[in-house]
Amino acid sequence: MENCKGYVHVLESFGSVDGPGVRFVVFMQGCHLRCKYCHNPDTWSFKGGKEYLPEELLKEALKYKTYWGKDMKNGGVTVSGGEPLCQIEFVTEFFKLLKSKGVHTALDTAGQPFKNDKEFLEKFDSLIKYTDLVLLDIKEFDTQKHKELTGFGNENIFKMAKYLSDKNVPMWIRHVLVPSVTDDEESLRNLREFIDTLKTVEKVEILPYHTLGLFKWENLKIDYPLKDVRSPSKEEIKKAESIMIK
């Protein structure tokens, strides 16, 4: 796609928790979700970010290819956000270029923009053609709770997970564990049952809630809704993992 431009919030050259191996991580600008525990609220706005052409971003990424090991088998590039599906055409062109260079590609998404219609699916199919792994953040199983937590329901997100499974796209499922918010045992068990219906899930991760991004809310003068919520204890994390990870 000629002159396809993307807007990038920030780049991270040495990511170690965003997919397999060492990752060059691209955080895209813009997201519709308003997660109450978001640690990057500065990525919400669709205004701002540094403008890139796919070729320019490829050049930046390949500066760090030595981190990925011999034949680039121990790492690669992850596109995160914000929400990368909000800039799906740009991410597709970027991934296409990366695959032409033999680079492993991972998409870190919450799935909110997914729509089960012809126009979107044509774009989505083009993207997953060049996607080696999808890191899918499922924030809450219960639809109403998901809406209270993020501003949106989750029916389309589960449809996306099923679609990826049917298309044989490898997935890692991630769930942020927030005490009294996303740690309900019934919801966790229901989420695990859903995951069991998918055939391409390679890994399930429980991510403990933290407040390291609180200063960003304060800088943006946004009221932080979970200011009184603590991080989960080791026992709570272990219990969630016993349910979710097999």
Side-chain angles (χ1 to χ4, degrees):
M1 186 178 297
E2 189 175 354
N3 295 327
C4 178
K5 297 177 181 179
Y7 296 88
V8 174
H9 178 69
V10 71
L11 302 174
E12 183 179 337
S13 59
F14 199 86
S16 60
V17 294
D18 302 284
V22 176
R23 316 293 298 182
F24 180 83
V25 187
V26 180
F27 293 91
M28 304 300 293
Q29 187 73 37
C31 184
H32 295 298
L33 293 178
R34 293 295 181 265
C35 301
K36 291 182 177 180
Y37 56 74
C38 181
H39 59 275
N40 287 319
D42 44 353
T43 67
W44 288 352
S45 174
F46 286 89
K47 297 179 181 179
K50 184 175 180 180
E51 183 180 286
Y52 280 93
L53 292 172
E55 297 81 5
E56 294 172 333
L57 193 54
L58 174 70
K59 186 176 179 180
E60 285 295 317
L62 292 180
K63 290 178 182 178
Y64 303 95
K65 65 181 181 180
T66 55
Y67 290 152
W68 309 333
K70 187 178 180 180
D71 300 323
M72 295 187 286
K73 299 296 184 182
N74 298 314
V77 173
T78 298
V79 175
S80 183
E83 173 51 65
L85 291 181
C86 290
Q87 300 190 58
I88 190 169
E89 294 95 342
F90 175 82
V91 178
T92 299
E93 291 303 307
F94 180 47
F95 274 14
K96 183 178 181 180
L97 292 174
L98 288 167
K99 294 313 301 174
S100 73
K101 301 296 184 181
V103 179
H104 183 278
T105 57
L107 178 75
D108 184 4
T109 175
Q112 184 275 326
F114 182 85
K115 292 185 289 185
N116 194 22
D117 64 42
K118 182 179 179 181
E119 182 179 359
F120 182 84
L121 290 180
E122 286 179 353
K123 296 178 181 180
F124 193 66
D125 286 345
S126 295
L127 173 60
I128 61 177
K129 179 180 178 181
Y130 304 107
T131 303
D132 293 309
L133 175 67
V134 173
L135 311 176
L136 179 57
D137 182 6
I138 300 182
K139 302 175 185 299
E140 169 61 46
F141 180 83
D142 182 84
T143 297
Q144 184 57 39
K145 290 181 179 179
H146 191 279
K147 189 172 183 178
E148 293 170 359
L149 179 64
T150 71
F152 291 85
N154 60 9
E155 296 93 338
N156 63 322
I157 296 169
F158 287 115
K159 288 179 181 178
M160 190 182 92
K162 184 65 167 59
Y163 190 85
L164 290 168
S165 176
D166 291 343
K167 292 287 185 176
N168 295 311
V169 179
M171 284 181 277
W172 289 8
I173 302 295
R174 301 171 130 186
H175 177 74
V176 178
L177 190 71
V178 186
S180 76
V181 180
T182 68
D183 64 343
D184 175 74
E185 185 172 333
E186 181 180 2
S187 290
L188 292 176
R189 292 192 183 281
N190 288 336
L191 180 54
R192 181 65 243 188
E193 288 180 7
F194 171 74
I195 292 171
D196 287 339
T197 70
L198 306 173
K199 62 184 180 181
T200 59
V201 176
E202 298 180 341
K203 187 176 184 179
V204 176
E205 295 182 310
I206 295 295
L207 307 179
Y209 163 75
H210 61 73
T211 57
L212 297 178
L214 178 56
F215 73 96
K216 296 181 181 181
W217 290 71
E218 294 171 345
N219 290 343
L220 292 168
K221 294 181 170 55
I222 306 173
D223 184 53
Y224 187 66
L226 302 184
K227 61 182 65 174
D228 296 323
V229 177
R230 58 176 175 78
S231 297
S233 66
K234 291 181 179 179
E235 291 75 19
E236 288 168 326
I237 296 169
K238 186 176 180 180
K239 181 180 179 180
E241 290 177 339
S242 71
I243 296 170
M244 291 285 292
I245 300 175
K246 296 183 178 180

